[in-house]
Amino acid sequence: MIDTHTHIFPDKIAPKVVERFRTAIGDAIPLAGDFTLQDLKAYMKRCGIEAVVTFCVAERPEVVGAANNFLIEINDNQTLFSFGTILPNMEDPVGEVRRIKGKGIKGIKFHSLFQPIRARDENLFPIYGAMAQEGMIAYFHVGKDPVNPSHPPGTGPQDIAHLKERFPSLKIVAAHFGGLFMLDEARKWIIGRDIYIDTCWGPNIQSLESEEVIDLIRQHGAEKVLLATDYPSTTDPAPQIKWFKDLPLQEEEKQLILRENARRLLGL
Ligand SMILES: [Zn+2]
């Protein structure tokens, strides 16, 4: 199995992030781990995950370079695929895109909850253009903020649909079935289009109805769905993976979602 949506921080920073989750974020996003590389590897071993895509999102322009250097260092493009981070108001963001691509990074995570960006922001367009040229994957948090679910989303399903129209060759992944806590909009704007979606949900996938998950997968096309947990920003992933594997989908559909789609997307 390949889990295409996990989070990591350097060992020095991880405890501060855990502390912030516990105090500022509270119960809205549970934590199943501590954001360290060691913990991520233990999760993979425990749950039978052969490879992960992992993110370390920079919240301020002056830390983008350091975050990407950490991601480059841990990336092996075999069991651990680090996706980079970017901010449009840093110095030479397009140069940074090309630098990390040159170091083997295959994609970039755009996180409108933790970064002051929205997918529709035009100052991101040169970044998308460079990524499309380089064949990189743009991975978006799409949907609401679990801490403030009544707020409008920074990046919603409609933004992603418009982006795909503007940059048709850009490979896009829309996390959370195309829209966290916004499945009606996801169905309208994402489902059925040439965009990958992932399966992580808050606080876990069991909080969705299995009928709804199966319907979303079949409407969208199982060949564009990626197994993902959001580890460690979730409850225990083991029962979530079991829940997913127990869905009454065809074996072929499960193989695509659990492994083969991610392999194709990552160029394996
Ligand atoms: Zn996430």
Side-chain angles (χ1 to χ4, degrees), residues 102-144:
K103 298 280 187 187
I105 300 293
K106 292 176 185 271
I108 292 177
K109 176 71 186 277
F110 296 88
H111 210 314
S112 55
L113 299 187
F114 297 107
Q115 297 180 297
I117 56 169
R118 301 164 305 176
R120 63 182 173 278
D121 293 343
E122 290 198 4
N123 60 1
L124 288 169
F125 285 16
I127 294 169
Y128 300 144
M131 290 178 69
Q133 250 179 20
E134 300 277 1
M136 294 177 84
I137 301 152
Y139 210 122
F140 290 90
H141 171 88
V142 186
K144 300 256 174 125

Side-chain angles (χ1 to χ4, degrees), residues 143-265:
K144 300 256 174 125
D145 177 353
V147 182
N148 298 297
S150 62
H151 291 193
T155 294
Q158 189 173 1
D159 299 318
I160 298 299
H162 288 162
L163 194 63
K164 185 66 185 174
E165 277 164 26
R166 180 75 174 68
F167 295 92
S169 68
L170 183 63
K171 294 178 208 165
I172 296 178
V173 184
H176 312 295
F177 288 99
L180 185 63
F181 306 149
M182 304 182 72
L183 285 180
D184 289 345
E185 289 89 338
R187 283 181 183 278
K188 186 168 170 197
W189 295 103
I190 305 267
I191 296 302
R193 295 195 190 215
D194 182 22
I195 293 167
Y196 283 85
I197 59 172
D198 80 19
T199 65
C200 46
W201 197 254
N204 52 46
I205 194 166
Q206 301 96 308
S207 40
L208 289 170
E209 297 289 335
S210 55
E211 292 77 14
E212 171 133 62
V213 170
I214 289 166
D215 187 61
L216 282 164
I217 290 168
R218 296 242 163 99
Q219 294 290 331
H220 188 56
E223 73 287 354
K224 292 173 291 179
V225 182
L226 303 163
L227 175 76
T229 63
D230 220 347
Y231 187 86
S233 320
T234 185
T235 61
D236 184 358
Q240 301 195 58
I241 293 167
K242 182 176 186 310
W243 185 94
F244 191 86
K245 284 172 119 176
D246 287 345
L247 286 176
L249 288 163
Q250 287 170 12
E251 209 44 50
E252 195 190 335
E253 293 171 309
K254 285 187 198 173
Q255 277 311 312
L256 287 171
I257 297 166
L258 295 174
R259 186 165 190 266
E260 297 309 322
N261 294 336
R263 287 181 56 83
R264 182 190 338 113
L265 180 65

Side-chain angles (χ1 to χ4, degrees), residues 55-120:
F55 313 126
C56 176
V57 174
E59 301 182 11
R60 291 173 289 121
E62 60 272 24
V63 297
V64 169
N68 281 334
N69 288 343
F70 163 69
L71 290 161
I72 289 162
E73 194 186 304
I74 60 170
N75 182 58
D76 65 13
N77 280 338
Q78 288 180 359
T79 61
L80 204 143
F81 295 83
S82 306
F83 276 20
T85 186
I86 206 82
L87 282 169
N89 56 343
M90 68 181 288
E91 199 183 319
D92 193 12
V94 168
E96 182 67 358
V97 170
R98 299 203 197 276
R99 179 181 83 91
I100 64 174
K101 167 69 181 175
K103 298 280 187 187
I105 300 293
K106 292 176 185 271
I108 292 177
K109 176 71 186 277
F110 296 88
H111 210 314
S112 55
L113 299 187
F114 297 107
Q115 297 180 297
I117 56 169
R118 301 164 305 176
R120 63 182 173 278

